[in-house]
Amino acid sequence: MEPNRVLSLFFQVTIYLVSSYSYAFPYSVPVRDNLMKERQPLSKLEKQVKSFAYLKQYDSAIVYAKKMLLLSSMKGDSISMGKAHFRLGFYHKKLDSNVTAFRHYNLSYQIHRFLGDSISAASRLNSMANIQKKLGDFSGCRVTALDALALYKEVSNFERLSSIYHIISVSLKEEKGYKESLKWNDRLINLLNAHKSKINPGSSLVYKNSRANILAELKDYETSIQILQDLLEDTMLDENRNEYARVLANLGRIKWMQNAKNHESEALMLKALDMRKSINSISGLIASNVHLTKYYQENNPKKALVFGMNALENAKKLNNPISILEALDLIIPLKTKLQLQLGEEAALYSKTRNKLVETQQRVRAIYATTKYDNEQLAKENLILQAETAKKDRENAIYLSAIILSTMTIAFVVYYKNQQQKKGKAMAAYQTETRISKKVHDELANDVSGIMGYIERTRDTLPKLKINLLNHLNDIYLRTRDIATETSRIDFGNFPNALKDLILQHQTHPNQVITNSWNIIAWNDIPNHKKMAIYRSLQELLVNTKKHAQATQTTLVFKDKGRKKELVYTDNGIGFDPNHKVLSGLNNVETRMQGIGGTFSFISNKDEGFKASITF
C-alpha cells in the first residue's frame, strides 16, 4: 500500500475512534481503572459474554460485552472492538432495540471496513439489511444488501452470499417488483444447486418457499403449487415443524389465489394454524391468521374479524410494527363494513405508523453518514493514486480540462441561480397575489357587509353587539385559515410535515385514514415538487372540510418507480362537475402542471369524491 494512502487511512481511523469515544465508553474513569487493574483477559470476557447469551440472559450479555468493548478500546485491539460491537448489536436485536442494534452493527462494519476485512464488513451489512427488512424499509434494506454484495470480490462463504441474494429478492417482492425479485431468486437457486453441500438445508427450504410466493404473485400458480408439493415430500420437513406449517399455509393460500372456490385451501390453512398453535410459533400464528382473515373477509366478515383480531394480538406479543399495521389494515375495513365501533384501532394505527416511520428514518440516517464517509475516503484514495501516476504532458491536459470544467460549472451555476431567482420571485408574486385576492374576496367583502349592516340595522344595542361579535369571530377564523394555508413547510422532515397536515384536518366527524406516506423516498424528491404535493393535498383537505360533509377521507400513497401517485377519496356529498368546480381543484391542477404532473378527479352529487395526483 502506498505511504500516502496508509497515512490517509490512519487519520480516518483516528477521527472515527475520537468521534465515537463518548458512545463507545459508557463507564466512568474509576470503573475503567478497576477494569485495567483486574487484568482480565479479553478471551475470558468474551467467554462470559457467550455463556450469558447461551442462557438467553441478553441483559447480562450486554453488560459484559460493554466491558469487552471498553477493555479492547483501551488496549487498542481493533479486532476485539469490532467483535464487541457485533455482539452488542446481536443482543440488542434480540431485545427488539432495533436502532441501538443497527448502530452497533454499523460501528462494527466501520472497524472491519477500515481494517480491510471485507468478509466481516459484508456480514455486518447483511445483519443491518435484515433489521431494515424487519422494519419494512425495503428500499433502504436493498441498498445496504447491495453494498454488502459489492464487498464479496472472491466469495468463499456461499451461505452469506445466498442470504444477501434472498434479502434483495424479498425486498423487491414486498415492493411488488416481482419480475426483478424472481431474477434474484434465480441467482439464489443457481447458487443453491451449485453448492448444495455448503448451504444450510433449512435455508434452502426458506428460499424455495419464497420462490413459490413470487411465482404466485406472477400468477404462475401451477409451478408455485408444484414447488410446495415437492417440499411437502422432503424428509427435512419431518424434523422442522415450523417450516412444515409454513409450506402448508402457503400451499392453502396459493390454491385459494388460483381458485377462490377451492375448499382444500381452507383445510390446509386451518391445519397450518393448528400446527403453529401446538409449537407456539408467534410469527407463524400472525401469518396464518392474516391469511385466514383475507380468506373469509368477503363471504364471512364476522369470522374474518375474529382471525384479524387474533393476528393483532399475536403481533402485539411480538412487538412487530409491520405485523400490527398489517392486521389493522384488515380489521379497520372489516369493522367499518360490520358497522362496529373502531375503539382503539385507529389510535393504535396512527401511533404504530408514526413510531415505525421515526425508527426507519433513524436507522437510515446512521448508515447514510457512514456511506458518505466511505465514499469520500474512496475518492481521496483515487485522487492520491492519480497524482502519483501523472506525467508532465498529462498535467497540461488535466489543467486544461479543469479550467474548462470550472468555466462550464461557473456558467451553469450562474444560469441556475438566475433561473432560481426568477422562479422564487414569480412564486412569491403569485403567492402574494393569491393571498391578496383571498383577503379581498373573503375578508374585505365581509367587513364591507358588516358596515352596511350597521348602517341599516334596527336591532337593539345588545343584539347588535352579539351579531357583530359573531361576524368578527367568523372573519378571525378565516384569517387564521389563510395563515395556515400559506405557512412554511418543513422540507427536511417532509413525512412529519404531511402527518401534521393530516392531523390538522382530522376533525369530527371526518376521519382521515392513510397508508405510509413514507412509502415514497421523499428525500429524493426536489423541494418545489414536495411543496406542490403539500399544497395540493392541503387544498383537497380544506375542500373536504368546507364542502363535502364527509365522515371518512382516505389517502393512499403509491410508488411506481419513476412515477409517484396519491389517490384521495372522501365519502362526502360530492358535486356535479358540469355545474360546479371548486376553485381549490383548479389550484391543484395548476400546481401539478407546474411540476409536470397530472390531476384528475371523479365526482357526482351524493356519490363522494375521488382524485388522483401523479408526478
Side-chain angles (χ1 to χ4, degrees):
M1 186 180 289
E2 290 137 26
N4 285 339
R5 190 173 181 185
V6 173
L7 190 60
S8 173
L9 183 61
F10 171 78
F11 280 121
Q12 289 287 338
V13 175
T14 303
I15 290 168
Y16 157 73
L17 291 175
V18 171
S19 66
S20 62
Y21 186 89
S22 61
Y23 180 80
F25 309 152
Y27 297 99
S28 61
V29 172
V31 174
R32 298 177 200 172
D33 291 343
N34 290 335
L35 195 60
M36 289 299 289
K37 287 177 184 177
E38 289 175 4
R39 299 186 181 279
Q40 192 172 20
L42 280 168
S43 58
K44 185 177 179 181
L45 269 175
E46 189 171 6
K47 285 181 181 178
Q48 288 175 312
V49 172
K50 290 180 178 178
S51 64
F52 282 118
Y54 178 77
L55 297 171
K56 297 185 178 181
Q57 297 176 7
Y58 297 120
D59 288 328
S60 298
I62 286 172
V63 170
Y64 279 85
K66 284 182 178 179
K67 288 184 178 181
M68 179 182 169
L69 174 60
L70 174 59
L71 187 58
S72 61
S73 302
M74 290 189 292
K75 289 184 175 182
D77 187 341
S78 299
I79 294 175
S80 295
M81 283 177 65
K83 287 181 179 179
H85 276 303
F86 165 72
R87 295 197 173 281
L88 284 167
F90 184 79
Y91 304 137
H92 277 292
K93 183 183 176 184
K94 288 288 186 181
L95 296 174
D96 285 326
S97 300
N98 293 305
V99 175
T100 305
F102 192 94
R103 186 184 293 114
H104 280 294
Y105 278 142
N106 185 60
L107 288 168
S108 180
Y109 157 73
Q110 286 180 288
I111 292 171
H112 289 295
R113 188 80 175 97
F114 284 127
L115 293 173
D117 183 358
S118 297
I119 299 298
S120 295
S123 178
R124 302 303 174 263
L125 288 177
N126 194 349
S127 299
M128 290 157 67
N130 270 312
I131 289 177
Q132 288 174 297
K133 178 164 70 74
K134 178 183 177 183
L135 293 172
D137 183 7
F138 299 111
S139 58
C141 146
R142 190 162 60 254
V143 169
T144 307
L146 287 169
D147 287 345
L149 190 60
L151 290 176
Y152 283 112
K153 294 180 180 178
E154 295 181 1
V155 180
S156 57
N157 194 319
F158 300 98
E159 186 76 18
R160 290 178 181 172
L161 184 60
S162 62
S163 175
I164 291 175
Y165 282 165
H166 181 62
I167 289 172
I168 296 171
S169 176
V170 169
S171 69
L172 286 163
K173 179 177 76 72
E174 292 298 329
E175 291 187 322
K176 303 189 186 306
Y178 301 123
K179 290 184 179 179
E180 281 298 313
S181 175
L182 186 60
K183 288 179 183 178
W184 283 94
N185 187 266
D186 286 339
R187 296 180 187 182
L188 175 56
I189 297 301
N190 290 337
L191 187 68
L192 186 68
N193 293 333
H195 305 281
K196 286 183 179 179
S197 61
K198 298 180 181 179
I199 293 182
N200 188 329
S203 298
S204 69
L205 293 174
V206 175
Y207 302 152
K208 290 177 181 177
N209 218 322
S210 179
R211 184 177 184 83
N213 288 330
I214 297 167
L215 290 168
E217 295 296 345
L218 290 169
K219 301 190 186 309
D220 187 358
Y221 301 118
E222 296 295 335
T223 307
S224 175
I225 290 170
Q226 188 61 53
I227 290 172
L228 295 172
Q229 287 178 335
D230 290 343
L231 285 176
L232 285 176
E233 296 176 6
D234 195 321
T235 55
M236 285 190 297
L237 283 184
D238 296 336
E239 301 172 2
N240 193 334
R241 290 175 61 79
N242 192 39
E243 284 304 317
Y244 191 92
R246 190 202 303 267
V247 173
L248 281 179
N250 282 329
L251 183 60
R253 181 178 61 88
I254 292 168
K255 283 193 172 189
W256 171 66
M257 290 171 65
Q258 182 188 37
N259 179 7
K261 296 181 180 179
N262 187 341
H263 297 294
E264 183 186 4
S265 58
E266 180 185 18
L268 288 166
M269 287 191 281
L270 288 172
K271 183 178 178 181
L273 178 65
D274 290 337
M275 187 175 291
R276 283 165 163 169
K277 285 179 181 177
S278 68
I279 59 176
N280 194 30
S281 170
I282 304 299
S283 59
L285 286 170
I286 295 169
S288 280
N289 279 294
V290 166
H291 293 164
L292 287 162
T293 303
K294 292 177 180 178
Y295 178 82
Y296 291 114
Q297 66 182 352
E298 291 298 328
N299 298 324
N300 194 339
K302 287 185 179 179
K303 196 170 186 178
L305 183 59
V306 172
F307 286 108
M309 296 302 294
N310 288 338
L312 179 60
E313 289 305 313
N314 282 292
K316 287 179 180 177
K317 289 178 185 177
L318 207 59
N319 194 26
N320 187 321
I322 298 297
S323 297
I324 290 172
L325 292 173
E326 185 180 17
L328 288 171
D329 278 335
L330 295 169
I331 290 169
I332 291 173
L334 282 168
K335 279 201 166 186
T336 303
K337 185 176 182 179
L338 294 168
Q339 297 182 338
L340 297 174
Q341 189 174 359
L342 285 176
E344 66 171 0
E345 285 84 2
L348 178 61
Y349 189 99
S350 178
K351 179 182 177 182
T352 305
R353 169 60 63 193
N354 293 340
K355 185 177 179 181
L356 177 62
V357 169
E358 179 187 353
T359 304
Q360 288 173 340
Q361 290 174 339
R362 289 174 66 189
V363 165
R364 273 198 178 192
I366 291 169
Y367 183 55
T369 304
T370 298
K371 190 172 181 180
Y372 174 79
D373 291 340
N374 288 340
E375 289 172 352
Q376 289 299 105
L377 178 61
K379 289 176 183 177
E380 290 167 9
N381 288 336
L382 287 172
I383 292 170
L384 288 171
Q385 293 171 15
E387 287 176 346
T388 304
K390 281 180 183 177
K391 297 179 181 180
D392 293 340
R393 188 170 61 85
E394 291 174 334
N395 284 336
I397 295 172
Y398 290 151
L399 182 60
S400 299
I402 290 170
I403 293 172
L404 181 61
S405 298
T406 302
M407 292 175 64
T408 303
I409 291 169
F411 173 79
V412 170
V413 170
Y414 173 77
Y415 178 80
K416 289 289 186 183
N417 284 341
Q418 292 301 109
Q419 292 295 105
Q420 190 175 22
K421 287 178 182 177
K422 290 179 182 178
K424 286 182 178 178
M426 182 57 69
Y429 172 78
Q430 290 173 347
T431 300
E432 290 167 2
T433 303
R434 184 168 62 85
I435 294 174
S436 175
K437 183 177 184 303
K438 190 158 190 173
V439 170
H440 178 270
D441 290 347
E442 295 194 16
L443 303 182
N445 287 344
D446 280 353
V447 172
S448 176
I450 291 174
M451 292 169 64
Y453 165 71
I454 294 171
E455 289 176 359
R456 66 177 179 273
T457 186
R458 295 182 180 177
D459 289 343
T460 61
L461 184 60
K463 187 175 181 181
L464 176 63
K465 281 185 177 180
I466 293 170
N467 289 334
L468 283 174
L469 284 173
N470 289 336
H471 284 301
L472 291 172
N473 184 58
D474 181 60
I475 292 173
Y476 163 74
L477 291 175
R478 276 186 284 165
T479 305
R480 187 179 63 183
D481 286 345
I482 292 172
T484 301
E485 290 170 23
T486 56
S487 59
R488 292 176 60 84
I489 302 169
D490 184 3
F491 294 115
N493 191 355
F494 193 65
N496 196 53
L498 288 177
K499 181 189 75 173
D500 289 343
L501 175 63
I502 290 168
L503 288 176
Q504 288 169 16
H505 294 83
Q506 188 84 264
T507 55
H508 183 77
N510 185 32
Q511 181 184 24
V512 183
I513 299 173
T514 181
N515 68 333
S516 172
W517 43 74
N518 206 43
I519 199 169
I520 295 174
W522 292 108
N523 288 339
D524 300 333
I525 307 297
N527 285 349
H528 72 282
K529 291 192 177 184
K530 286 192 275 194
M531 181 181 70
I533 295 302
Y534 183 97
R535 294 299 185 205
S536 297
L537 179 55
Q538 191 176 50
E539 292 277 7
L540 294 177
L541 289 167
V542 168
N543 278 345
T544 296
K545 180 179 177 181
K546 287 184 177 180
H547 308 291
Q549 300 177 28
T551 59
Q552 182 171 300
T553 300
T554 304
L555 302 174
V556 179
F557 293 87
K558 298 180 180 180
D559 189 342
K560 300 179 179 179
R562 291 179 59 83
K563 181 180 177 183
K564 319 298 178 186
E565 184 179 10
L566 166 60
V567 179
Y568 181 100
T569 310
D570 71 45
N571 65 349
I573 60 175
F575 60 92
D576 185 350
N578 295 322
H579 295 90
K580 177 184 180 182
V581 177
L582 301 175
S583 61
L585 301 184
N586 292 328
N587 291 340
V588 175
E589 185 173 21
T590 301
R591 292 182 191 280
M592 288 302 101
Q593 288 174 350
I595 63 170
T598 62
F599 171 67
S600 60
F601 66 89
I602 300 172
S603 183
N604 288 301
K605 193 171 182 181
D606 299 324
E607 292 183 9
F609 172 83
K610 182 174 183 180
S612 171
I613 291 174
T614 62
F615 64 100

